[in-house]
């Protein structure tokens, strides 16, 4: 009979530990995903900004040497990520693919211009800086027009600011929720042992002596939950890096080390603080209050 009861108690204890580890692991994993997003917000914003292109249209009488010099000077400019020459024939082919028919057969001639597409570095994607760049490029007499989507640039910059702000807000809120969830799991685990805590106190054990095994046990559970979260987070980062290599998640290992260390430390810290205050609460309760 006693053996069956001991087995039941052991299964109950394992189940309790499992639920705590699972809760900690899941919450820390989600927190890690959010942390990854926060730490890479600028990189994501820069990625979208660098898709903005300035099209420099050339006059038909532009000399080949002038075009070559212009392309080289644009490619070497501090604001340029990439400069690509697009002939009127290439432009016509691309346009025909987009509209699904060959418009040259209808018009009988190619109205498009030779151009150079300039992809800007993210730091220069603002309406003011692009206007200055466009004005500087337009000063050459063989330039027909410098074209870019000004409303799109304004919209992009506004949205980047808004998204960055709300990501920070969401991070703060979710961190608070994460602490509450982990704290609740640990408190429930300790609640089931409240009579043991009070019994130890009644036989003369000090509060520090009583707290110590609970704190160490839950720190170990926190470490285990953090390890599980980090393994899952590692798989997610690897998957994202394979499918979206342009984000270059492994370009700066310091960010990933900081993220992993933060998740691990947070798991240990929350486990320690939650256990300390949960045990303290039951230590301060009267025996009669343990039944409520």
């Amino acid at each position: 009979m006693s053996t069956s009861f001991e087995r039941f108690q052991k299964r109950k204890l394992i189940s309790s530990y499992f639920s705590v580890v699972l809760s900690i692991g899941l919450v820390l994993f989600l927190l890690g995903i959010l942390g990854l997003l926060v730490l890479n917000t600028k990189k994501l914003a820069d990625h979208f900004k660098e898709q903005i292109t300035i099209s420099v249209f050339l006059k038909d009488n532009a000399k080949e040497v002038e075009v070559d010099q212009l392309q080289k000077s644009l490619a070497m400019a501090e604001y340029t990520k990439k400069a690509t020459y697009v002939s009127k024939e290439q432009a016509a082919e691309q346009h025909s693919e987009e509209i699904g028919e060959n418009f040259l057969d209808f018009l009988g001639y190619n109205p498009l211009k030779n151009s150079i597409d300039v992809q800007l570095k993210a730091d220069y994607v603002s309406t003011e800086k692009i206007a200055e760049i466009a004005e500087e490029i337009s000063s050459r007499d063989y330039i027909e027009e410098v074209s870019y989507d000004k409303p799109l640039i304004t919209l992009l910059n506004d949205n980047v600011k808004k998204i960055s702000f709300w990501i920070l807000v969401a991070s703060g809120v979710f961190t608070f929720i994460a602490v509450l969830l982990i704290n609740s799991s640990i408190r429930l685990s300790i609640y089931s042992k409240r009579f043991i805590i009070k019994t130890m106190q009644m036989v003369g054990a000090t509060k520090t002596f009583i707290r110590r095994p609970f704190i160490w046990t839950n720190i170990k559970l926190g470490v285990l939950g953090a390890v599980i979260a980090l393994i899952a987070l590692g798989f997610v980062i690897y998957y994202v890096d394979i499918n979206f290599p342009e984000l270059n998640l492994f370009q700066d290992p310091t960010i990933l080390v900081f993220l992993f260390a933060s998740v691990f430390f947070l798991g240990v810290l929350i486990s320690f603080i939650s256990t300390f205050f949960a045990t303290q609460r039951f230590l301060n309760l009267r025996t009669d209050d343990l039944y409520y």
Side-chain angles (χ1 to χ4, degrees):
M1 185 71 177
S2 59
T3 305
S4 299
F5 179 75
E6 288 174 359
R7 288 177 181 174
F8 172 75
Q9 288 292 95
K10 189 175 182 180
R11 284 197 300 268
K12 186 177 178 182
L13 184 63
I14 293 174
S15 176
S16 174
Y17 287 164
F18 178 77
S19 64
V20 171
V21 170
L22 187 63
S23 299
I24 293 174
L26 182 59
V27 171
L28 290 179
F29 169 70
L30 295 175
L31 202 59
I33 294 293
L34 190 59
L36 181 67
L37 185 61
V38 170
L39 292 175
N40 288 278
T41 298
K42 187 179 185 304
K43 190 179 291 186
L44 287 169
D46 289 351
H47 170 69
F48 288 111
K49 285 183 177 181
E50 289 176 352
Q51 305 307 308
I52 297 295
T53 301
I54 294 179
S55 295
V56 181
F57 294 102
L58 307 168
K59 292 181 179 179
D60 291 334
N61 60 357
K63 298 177 182 179
E64 185 176 346
V65 64
E66 292 175 329
V67 175
D68 289 340
Q69 288 178 348
L70 176 62
Q71 184 179 1
K72 289 178 181 178
S73 65
L74 289 175
M76 295 175 63
E78 61 179 359
Y79 52 76
T80 302
K81 181 183 179 183
K82 184 180 179 182
T84 307
Y85 175 76
V86 181
S87 67
K88 59 167 57 178
E89 291 77 16
Q90 290 174 317
E93 185 178 344
Q94 292 173 4
H95 191 61
S96 296
E97 290 178 359
E98 290 175 0
I99 64 176
E101 60 179 326
N102 191 346
F103 68 96
L104 297 179
D105 294 338
F106 175 74
L107 295 177
Y109 71 100
N110 187 352
L112 302 178
K113 301 285 185 181
N114 296 323
S115 65
I116 298 176
D117 288 342
V118 181
Q119 281 183 267
L120 300 176
K121 293 178 181 177
D123 293 338
Y124 292 89
V125 180
S126 67
T127 52
E128 296 80 9
K129 290 183 179 180
I130 292 181
E132 293 175 3
I133 293 169
E135 184 178 356
E136 185 269 327
I137 296 174
S138 300
S139 62
R140 298 170 175 84
D141 55 7
Y142 53 88
I143 302 298
E144 179 77 25
E145 181 188 4
V146 178
S147 175
Y148 60 93
D149 195 336
K150 186 175 180 179
L152 177 62
I153 294 168
T154 303
L155 182 64
L156 177 62
N157 282 304
D158 289 343
N159 286 337
V160 164
K161 291 178 182 178
K162 290 177 183 177
I163 292 171
S164 299
F165 171 75
W166 285 111
I167 284 177
L168 289 175
V169 172
S171 300
V173 172
F174 190 80
T175 301
F176 178 72
I177 294 173
V179 172
L180 289 182
L181 289 174
I182 295 176
N183 179 64
S184 297
S185 297
I186 291 176
R187 285 187 64 181
L188 285 173
S189 174
I190 294 176
Y191 176 80
S192 63
K193 303 179 182 68
R194 64 193 185 281
F195 292 109
I196 297 175
I197 292 173
K198 185 55 66 175
T199 300
M200 293 174 68
Q201 189 177 23
M202 291 175 67
V203 297
T206 63
K207 291 183 178 181
T208 302
F209 180 83
I210 297 171
R211 272 197 301 261
R212 188 181 298 121
F214 289 99
I215 288 176
W216 277 114
T217 297
N218 283 294
I219 284 179
K220 291 175 184 177
L221 296 179
V223 169
L224 184 57
V227 169
I228 293 172
L230 292 178
I231 291 173
L233 185 60
F235 278 113
V236 170
I237 293 173
Y238 179 73
Y239 175 82
V240 172
D241 186 66
I242 288 178
N243 290 275
F244 303 96
E246 61 273 10
L247 295 179
N248 294 319
L249 293 179
F250 291 101
Q251 185 178 17
D252 188 0
T254 307
I255 293 178
L256 294 180
V257 171
F258 175 77
L259 176 64
F260 277 54
S262 298
V263 170
F264 184 85
F265 177 74
L266 196 60
V268 173
L269 181 64
I270 295 175
S271 298
F272 171 78
I273 294 175
S274 298
T275 305
F276 180 88
F277 284 105
T279 52
Q280 186 68 24
R281 176 176 178 270
F282 293 117
L283 285 170
N284 292 334
L285 283 178
R286 295 181 304 171
T287 304
D288 293 340
D289 295 333
L290 295 176
Y291 295 93
Y292 300 99

